[in-house]
Amino acid sequence: RGLLRCQVLVAILLAMWRFSAFAAPKVVRADKTDALLQRGEVLPGKVKTVRDNGLVIQTKNGDGFAHISQLSDRFLGHPAELFDEQDQVTARVLRHENGFLELTLRELGTKKLKDFKVNQE
């Protein structure tokens, strides 16, 4: 009886995995033919898709992804609180390697960690 329950549970989990209930979101690939973009480069674009974990942004260099933590300086429960599909945005490149374009809509700081001192504002 216990073995049957275990087999049923495994079958359910496999079915859920197969139908993407637990599958990781598809990774967005930028166009591999373009030269690598440098960190901090500004790219105009538009929101292609609003996901639970961020935005897919369409740029002239291909589609990029901006994680929810990179959308605003304040807490966001869901990206749809600030963005809709087809919104025009200005993004900055965080990373562009192996065909993946990671973007941010936050301002990139110019200071490095070593530049900060204790009790400095």
Side-chain angles (χ1 to χ4, degrees):
R1 190 169 170 107
L3 180 63
L4 180 62
R5 285 183 184 173
C6 186
Q7 288 174 334
V8 169
L9 181 60
V10 168
I12 290 171
L13 289 173
L14 285 173
M16 290 174 74
W17 183 269
R18 187 175 190 192
F19 294 108
S20 299
F22 292 124
K26 292 180 182 175
V27 179
V28 181
R29 286 189 172 270
D31 188 0
K32 285 188 170 185
T33 59
D34 291 340
L36 290 180
L37 300 168
Q38 297 299 314
R39 179 179 172 87
E41 282 189 53
V42 177
L43 296 175
K46 86 177 155 180
V47 177
K48 185 175 179 180
T49 309
V50 178
R51 295 183 176 176
D52 291 338
N53 62 342
L55 302 174
V56 176
I57 299 173
Q58 183 178 19
T59 71
K60 65 180 180 174
N61 298 83
D63 292 346
F65 183 73
H67 187 265
I68 189 169
S69 65
Q70 295 297 325
L71 300 181
S72 174
D73 290 328
R74 66 180 182 88
F75 175 78
L76 281 181
H78 194 277
E81 293 175 20
L82 289 180
F83 301 97
D84 292 315
E85 290 183 4
Q86 305 301 317
D87 281 354
Q88 297 293 323
V89 295
T90 301
R92 290 184 185 263
V93 176
L94 280 179
R95 189 170 48 122
H96 185 210
E97 56 189 36
N98 300 328
F100 297 102
L101 182 57
E102 185 179 350
L103 303 170
T104 182
L105 301 182
R106 298 168 70 179
E107 288 296 319
L108 292 181
T110 56
K111 287 190 172 185
K112 295 186 175 18
L113 187 59
K114 66 180 182 177
D115 296 333
F116 287 94
K117 296 184 174 122
V118 177
N119 297 327
Q120 179 184 5
E121 292 184 20

